[in-house]
């Protein structure tokens, strides 16, 4: 490591991976409940499994981003982190709050949890992805503000780069848009309108800035390409992200009681949203092609290129499949939406966390040139297991979604099948989805195993 304070990133990375394992296990449990409705019932009903599954996803990504930032910023700023102690305290506070919240979901009925906490004083609970109790939301604000203060002070006192400025912009946007989680209008249409200010403008706005900055950092380190060349690509990608992503919020405003002009704004802007992800593919492969060094950590570059490709497929291609208003009229809320969500979150955000961990963790463990060949070979196996598993899972959900649309949405009221009848008809597809989900979990376990692979000693 160039700076000793980078070591604070290590617990964030480890905890993010642990949370990912938990998130996958809860997802698989949901997959089993799709086939056998009484599985784990009444101990853990489906709605609780889903709540824990999605909340773990959000929290693990935040831990991954925080760890990546604490590793990246000292090198970009060419100085030690402003307060390593604050970063350590933030980790333990956030980890403890997250564990207590998840245990609350699992052990206490949600209505009881809501009544016993501050939700009656300031109602914020009950919204998808934002189910956290009001006190937990306040804790998240405190943690994120401490995190941003630490990063900002480090940047202010050190070197300013395009990567650090774009990363900071994304972090400030993340903090600002989360404040809409505290605003819950009584009107349902207004509620959904502002709810998307958090959900959409995180994942298709500010998080993409964070993604771009992290991807650029790893590409600089693993290819040795001039920073000026990477900066030009980064500016172009971020510009397209902001232009398409902000107005693209409109594709969530279809048919919820908002004015009809959102059908046009959402459709046109959303059609441009795959562009920044396609540019990321060109960016990653162009940097790899023009590399000036042959870095020993080849698997980190593999993760970087994989992030660009899978992000484009999940967020770009599968997002565009049902983002136009006339198509979305039939597809919204079907398994096609779930297909897009799974591949987009994994491809864009889980994989960029793997990219940073794959590059930084060997250095944090005293291996400045990366893991050895045997370990990287095992990690490459885990890469393909998770990628193939997620693609297979996405294709299964896509088939399920198309069948659902054909049976339930396209026919008129007299001939449309009921929801439960439709679910029974596509249960075999859910079984395939579950099988690929198991492959993703096995891939993650293989990834964990790669940490412990012993290399053969070279005899001089």
């Amino acid at each position: 490591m160039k700076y000793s304070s980078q070591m604070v990133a290590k617990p964030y990375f480890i905890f993010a991976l642990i949370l990912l394992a938990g998130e996958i296990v809860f997802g698989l449990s949901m997959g089993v409940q799709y086939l056998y409705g009484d599985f784990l019932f009444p101990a853990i009903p489906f709605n609780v499994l889903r709540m824990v599954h999605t909340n773990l996803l959000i929290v693990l990504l935040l831990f991954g981003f925080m760890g990546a930032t604490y590793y990246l910023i000292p090198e970009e700023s060419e100085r030690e982190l402003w307060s390593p102690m604050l970063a350590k305290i933030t980790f333990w506070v956030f980890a403890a709050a997250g564990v207590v919240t998840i245990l609350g979901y699992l052990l206490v009925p949600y209505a009881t949890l809501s009544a016993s906490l501050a939700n009656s004083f300031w109602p914020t609970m009950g919204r998808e992805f934002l189910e956290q109790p009001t006190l937990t939301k306040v804790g998240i604000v405190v943690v994120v503000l401490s995190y941003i203060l630490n990063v900002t002070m480090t940047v202010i006192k050190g070197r300013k780069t395009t990567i650090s400025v774009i990363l900071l912009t994304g972090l400030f946007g993340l903090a600002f848009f989360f404040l809409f989680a505290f605003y819950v209008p009584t009107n349902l249409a207004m509620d959904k309108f502002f709810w998307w200010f958090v959900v959409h403008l995180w994942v298709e706005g500010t998080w993409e800035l964070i993604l771009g900055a992290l991807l650029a950092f790893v590409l600089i380190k693993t290819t040795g390409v001039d920073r000026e060349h990477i900066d030009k690509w980064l500016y172009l990608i971020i510009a397209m992200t902001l232009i398409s992503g902000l107005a693209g919020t409109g594709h969530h405003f279809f048919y919820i009681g908002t004015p009809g002009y959102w059908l046009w704004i959402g459709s046109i802007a959303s059609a441009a949203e795959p562009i920044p992800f396609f540019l990321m593919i060109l960016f990653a492969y162009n940097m790899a092609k023009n590399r000036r060094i042959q870095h020993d950590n080849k698997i980190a570059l593999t993760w970087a290129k994989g992030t660009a490709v899978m992000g484009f497929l999940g967020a770009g291609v599968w997002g565009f499949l049902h983002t136009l208003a006339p198509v979305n009229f039939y597809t919204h809320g079907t398994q096609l939406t779930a297909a897009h969500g799974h591949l987009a979150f994994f491809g864009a955000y889980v994989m960029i966390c793997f990219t940073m961990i794959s590059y930084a963790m060997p250095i944090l463990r005293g291996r400045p040139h990366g893991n050895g060949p045997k370990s990287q070979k095992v990690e490459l196996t885990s890469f393909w297991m998770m990628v193939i598993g997620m693609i297979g899972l996405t294709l299964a959900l896509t088939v399920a979604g198309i069948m659902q649309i054909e049976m339930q949405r396209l026919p008129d009221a007299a001939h449309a099948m009921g929801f439960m009848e439709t679910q029974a008809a596509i249960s075999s597809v859910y079984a395939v989805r579950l099988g690929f989900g198991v492959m993703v979990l096995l891939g993650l376990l293989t990834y964990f195993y790669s940490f412990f692979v012993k290399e053969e000693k070279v005899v001089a």
Side-chain angles (χ1 to χ4, degrees):
M1 292 180 299
K2 291 185 178 180
Y3 303 95
S4 60
S5 59
Q6 289 177 287
M7 186 59 74
V8 301
K10 191 174 182 179
Y12 284 91
F13 287 149
I14 293 172
F15 199 63
L17 291 172
I18 293 171
L19 292 176
L20 176 59
E23 191 246 355
I24 294 173
V25 168
F26 279 97
L28 291 176
S29 300
M30 291 167 60
V32 175
Q33 281 195 351
Y34 265 93
L35 298 173
Y36 307 100
D38 290 336
F39 178 69
L40 295 179
F41 186 84
I44 312 179
F46 181 85
N47 66 302
V48 174
L49 284 174
R50 187 179 190 277
M51 186 165 56
V52 174
H53 178 63
T54 55
N55 277 240
L56 282 175
L57 172 64
I58 295 167
V59 175
L60 80 87
L61 292 177
L62 290 177
F63 270 100
F65 291 162
M66 293 170 80
T69 304
Y70 285 138
Y71 183 87
L72 175 157
I73 284 297
E75 287 199 21
E76 287 296 299
S77 302
E78 295 184 339
R79 69 180 308 276
E80 295 287 358
L81 197 63
W82 181 64
S83 176
M85 181 57 65
L86 180 59
K88 294 176 183 177
I89 293 172
T90 303
F91 168 79
W92 288 110
V93 171
F94 195 18
V99 170
V100 169
T101 301
I102 296 300
L103 289 176
Y105 292 158
L106 294 171
L107 302 177
V108 182
Y110 192 68
T112 304
L113 196 67
S114 173
S116 60
L117 297 173
N119 196 59
S120 57
F121 172 73
W122 191 344
T124 68
M125 296 174 69
R127 306 163 90 192
E128 186 182 2
F129 295 109
L130 302 176
E131 296 94 347
Q132 307 87 19
T134 303
L135 290 176
T136 301
K137 290 187 176 73
V138 172
I140 291 173
V141 170
V142 173
V143 166
V144 170
L145 289 180
S146 302
Y147 160 52
I148 292 177
L149 172 65
N150 210 345
V151 174
T152 302
M153 292 302 296
T154 307
V155 173
I156 288 175
K157 292 177 177 291
R159 180 182 67 161
K160 285 78 175 173
T161 66
T162 300
I163 290 175
S164 61
V165 169
I166 288 176
L167 180 59
L168 264 181
T169 303
L171 296 181
F172 275 101
L174 181 154
F176 173 74
F177 287 114
F178 184 70
L179 296 179
F180 287 96
F182 293 91
Y183 177 53
V184 186
T186 55
N187 179 280
L188 184 59
M190 290 288 289
D191 175 38
K192 281 298 182 184
F193 186 90
F194 286 104
W195 177 75
W196 285 112
F197 279 29
V198 184
V199 179
H200 172 92
L201 290 174
W202 264 19
V203 302
E204 296 173 72
T206 59
W207 284 17
E208 287 189 30
L209 272 63
I210 298 169
L211 163 63
L214 300 183
L215 185 61
F217 175 79
V218 174
L219 288 173
I220 286 175
K221 297 298 181 181
T222 56
T223 67
V225 173
D226 288 341
R227 183 176 290 269
E228 292 77 10
H229 187 46
I230 282 183
D231 287 351
K232 292 175 184 177
W233 275 93
L234 198 52
Y235 281 129
L236 179 60
I237 291 169
I238 298 309
M240 288 305 305
T241 295
L242 293 176
I243 291 170
S244 62
L246 293 177
T249 312
H251 70 237
H252 298 294
F253 298 158
F254 299 159
Y255 317 115
I256 66 167
T258 51
Y261 54 73
W262 283 111
L263 300 177
W264 290 93
I265 296 174
S267 296
I268 294 170
S270 298
E273 283 196 65
I275 295 175
F277 283 98
F278 182 69
L279 289 175
M280 284 188 190
I281 294 179
L282 299 180
F283 173 47
Y285 279 85
N286 184 272
M287 297 307 108
K289 180 180 178 182
N290 295 298
R291 65 173 66 182
R292 294 189 171 187
I293 60 173
Q294 293 293 331
H295 199 283
D296 291 334
N297 193 344
K298 296 180 175 60
I299 190 64
L301 182 58
T302 300
W303 279 109
K305 292 190 291 186
T307 299
V309 173
M310 293 289 282
F312 171 68
L313 290 175
V317 176
W318 257 262
F320 182 74
L321 283 178
H322 61 139
T323 197
L324 301 179
V327 178
N328 190 265
F329 182 80
Y330 296 99
T331 63
H332 189 79
T334 66
Q335 294 296 338
L336 195 60
T337 305
H340 159 59
H342 278 80
L343 192 59
F345 268 109
F346 177 79
Y349 299 121
V350 174
M351 286 187 70
I352 193 60
C353 290
F354 273 120
T355 301
M356 279 298 302
I357 294 171
S358 184
Y359 173 75
M361 188 61 86
I363 300 173
L364 295 172
R365 298 176 70 199
R367 303 169 184 175
H369 301 293
N371 290 324
K374 287 182 66 176
S375 178
Q376 289 195 47
K377 186 176 181 180
V378 173
E379 188 174 341
L380 182 62
T381 301
S382 75
F383 169 90
W384 283 113
M385 288 177 71
M386 284 188 274
V387 166
I388 293 172
M390 189 55 65
I391 290 175
L393 184 154
T394 300
L395 290 173
L397 285 173
T398 303
V399 172
I402 293 171
M403 293 174 67
Q404 191 176 0
I405 293 163
E406 289 180 341
M407 297 174 185
Q408 206 177 338
R409 301 289 177 86
L410 291 178
D412 56 36
H415 300 91
M417 293 172 61
F419 175 79
M420 294 306 295
E421 188 181 5
T422 304
Q423 294 301 303
I426 57 180
S427 61
S428 59
V429 184
Y430 289 148
V432 174
R433 184 266 302 269
L434 181 60
F436 280 110
V438 171
M439 178 182 285
V440 175
L441 178 60
L442 293 176
L444 179 61
L445 295 177
T446 304
Y447 183 84
F448 289 155
Y449 172 68
S450 72
F451 288 175
F452 305 101
V453 172
K454 294 183 178 180
E455 301 294 333
E456 297 177 1
K457 294 183 179 180
V458 178
V459 180

